[in-house]
Amino acid sequence: MTRMEQQAQPKPFWLDGNFAPVFEEQTAFDLKVTGNIPPELNGRYFRNGANPPSGKSHDWFLACGMIHGVELKHGKAIWYRNRYVQTALLEEDTPSPESRSKLENSIANTHIIGHAGKIFALAELSLPIEMSSELETVGPYRFDGHLNGNMTAHPRICPITGELLFFGYGLRPPFLTYYRASADGQLVQQEQIAVKGATMMHDFNITENYVIFMDLPMVWDFGERESGGLGVKFDPDYGARLGIMPRTGNNKDVIWFDIEPCYVYHTMNAYEAGDEIVLEGCRMVGYMAEGMTKPPLPKLHRWRMNLVTGSVREEQIDDLGVDFPRVPDHLVGQAHRYGYTAEFGQDAPTVDAFHKYDMHSGNKSSHYLKDGRTGSEAVFVPAANASNEDDGYLMSFVFDPAENKSELVIFDASNMANEPVARIHLPARVPAGFHGSWIASSGE
Ligand SMILES: [Fe+2]
């Protein structure tokens, strides 16, 4: 391809509009607010996303991570910061498979969580990268030397025990390893789990007594990976299974349920209901058949796996294209009524609406963004003295094209259609990114 032909190519979605990276790390204090920040929101909202330093990337998923954060305290927006996660990979435009194969060389672009007083920037196939509460990079984290493999970007924190439950998957054997860390951050269990090949295992779930592995047919294609692509392809011949294991169990305890081949990046939640384990997630089919430029829309589904009969039932909950499903952190692994999602556009995962699903009825209520504004994943934070499950707030970064800047928008989850309760005006644009967390302050 000549240079002119290259220039004539339309930009892929992940480099266009508000998916495009920002290049400046900024710090701003005492941010302007429209509306009122609920005074009980004391803590920090952090969100991760891919942000190629060169402005170029072969894929939405493969560039280095930048974290955007806002601290709230006593009804005020104290600061905004955006910082790269500082790793050796920042020197490379699109990190090579060779440099990504070193555990400590994380692109660290997918999620950011808090556990046992530490903050971790996460990307699958790498070690967690510890961050400070003001977004300085501390470095790769190995749980006192006990974590010698990679960690998913989607661990789960049990709201009852405080444990951090997670897995790591390998491109070579062992293909799957399960880990359990105690509430105080000690790695107390690791088990190798037998699966037949290397698949892209993105998410994971827990219930009160079990964990759920998703062995789905997005298999690694090393030829494509060597050429700089994401390196996976959808191969229905691999089969598709969900594996349920007691939290303190091991490989011989896993019960596998075959399901219709599909891919699920993100699950909403899982819980126990009598003899059944219920899993809810955003299911897609044929993914990668058309390439990353036009992925199919994920749709909310539910699987019910019966531990006694071994049967599994699958149902579609809605036919809208949604992803970034979340439930309140305190209901992870527990029966819940509501789940929150972001609606994806037809041509790109552009978020112009948020939906609250009543998972009992399948009905939804919605918050539509106006005037070309676009959001990203929304995180639920409960209100003080909440009496209903949806008494609380959803937080998301929302981009305003008229200003070419973003806001941290807080809206009322119990009245989705209402205007936001607060819009915190940021000094910069926050690109559409991936996942984040509200990390409440302790005792301040
Ligand atoms: Fe994810």
Side-chain angles (χ1 to χ4, degrees), residues 110 153-154 202 265-266 324 434-435:
T110 311
H154 287 287
H202 187 69
Y265 268 107
H266 299 122
F324 292 140
F434 303 131
H435 308 285

Side-chain angles (χ1 to χ4, degrees), residues 89-381:
L89 298 182
L90 264 184
E91 302 295 316
E92 301 182 38
D93 272 357
T94 297
S96 69
E98 187 187 16
S99 48
R100 277 190 284 147
S101 69
K102 292 179 187 145
L103 277 182
E104 65 275 21
N105 281 0
S106 181
I107 50 176
N109 68 8
T110 311
H111 202 348
I112 176 163
I113 64 156
H115 182 252
K118 293 188 182 297
I119 298 168
F120 302 120
L122 302 171
E124 64 198 50
L125 293 171
S126 298
L127 289 171
I129 305 293
E130 187 181 352
M131 306 294 292
S132 80
S133 59
E134 296 192 341
L135 297 180
E136 296 146 320
T137 302
V138 179
Y141 189 75
R142 297 176 186 269
F143 291 85
D144 294 325
H146 296 297
L147 179 62
N148 297 307
N150 65 64
M151 177 174 175
T152 174
H154 287 287
R156 288 292 191 277
I157 297 169
C158 175
I160 297 171
T161 66
E163 290 170 301
L164 178 71
L165 303 136
F166 62 99
F167 69 93
Y169 71 80
L171 305 185
R172 291 168 198 80
F175 291 126
L176 179 59
T177 308
Y178 165 69
Y179 300 92
R180 186 165 58 88
S182 59
D184 63 353
Q186 307 298 311
L187 199 63
V188 292
Q189 187 183 0
Q190 47 184 302
E191 309 286 348
Q192 289 186 10
I193 308 298
V195 292
K196 66 183 178 184
T199 64
M200 182 172 69
M201 199 175 284
H202 187 69
D203 202 353
F204 171 73
N205 269 272
I206 63 171
T207 69
E208 196 161 337
N209 296 290
Y210 298 92
V211 295
I212 306 174
F213 303 110
M214 299 196 293
D215 187 19
L216 304 177
M218 194 70 80
V219 298
W220 285 92
D221 176 342
F222 291 97
E224 211 246 341
R225 181 174 155 91
E226 295 306 317
S227 67
L230 183 61
V232 289
K233 68 173 182 210
F234 186 72
D235 177 7
D237 291 339
Y238 179 89
R241 331 182 279 175
L242 301 170
I244 297 177
M245 184 182 84
R247 287 186 184 188
T248 54
N250 61 34
N251 179 57
K252 70 176 180 355
D253 302 315
V254 183
I255 301 171
W256 291 100
F257 294 80
D258 289 321
I259 60 169
E260 285 298 309
C262 62
Y263 195 65
V264 177
Y265 268 107
H266 299 122
T267 48
M268 176 177 275
N269 202 12
Y271 56 91
E272 296 167 24
D275 293 337
E276 290 183 331
I277 302 290
V278 182
L279 175 67
E280 299 154 345
C282 297
R283 179 187 193 272
M284 56 211 297
V285 288
Y287 180 59
M288 300 305 283
E290 298 177 75
M292 260 311 290
T293 51
K294 193 165 176 157
L297 289 171
K299 294 174 182 178
L300 196 54
H301 280 65
R302 179 186 288 123
W303 294 264
R304 292 178 182 277
M305 290 157 280
N306 190 305
L307 291 171
V308 175
T309 66
S311 66
V312 56
R313 284 186 291 148
E314 176 183 306
E315 61 182 317
Q316 182 170 315
I317 294 165
D318 194 15
D319 63 2
L320 201 62
V322 295
D323 203 278
F324 292 140
R326 296 287 295 238
V327 295
D329 289 346
H330 69 275
L331 291 175
V332 166
Q334 307 291 312
H336 70 112
R337 178 165 182 182
Y338 298 109
Y340 303 90
T341 65
E343 182 174 342
F344 277 6
Q346 287 290 335
D347 296 321
T350 309
V351 174
D352 52 17
F354 300 100
H355 302 288
K356 176 177 74 175
Y357 282 89
D358 179 338
M359 300 299 283
H360 293 177
S361 67
N363 295 334
K364 61 182 178 289
S365 52
S366 306
H367 184 94
Y368 291 96
L369 298 169
K370 299 177 199 129
D371 305 321
R373 290 158 62 90
T374 53
S376 55
E377 180 190 66
V379 168
F380 180 92
V381 185

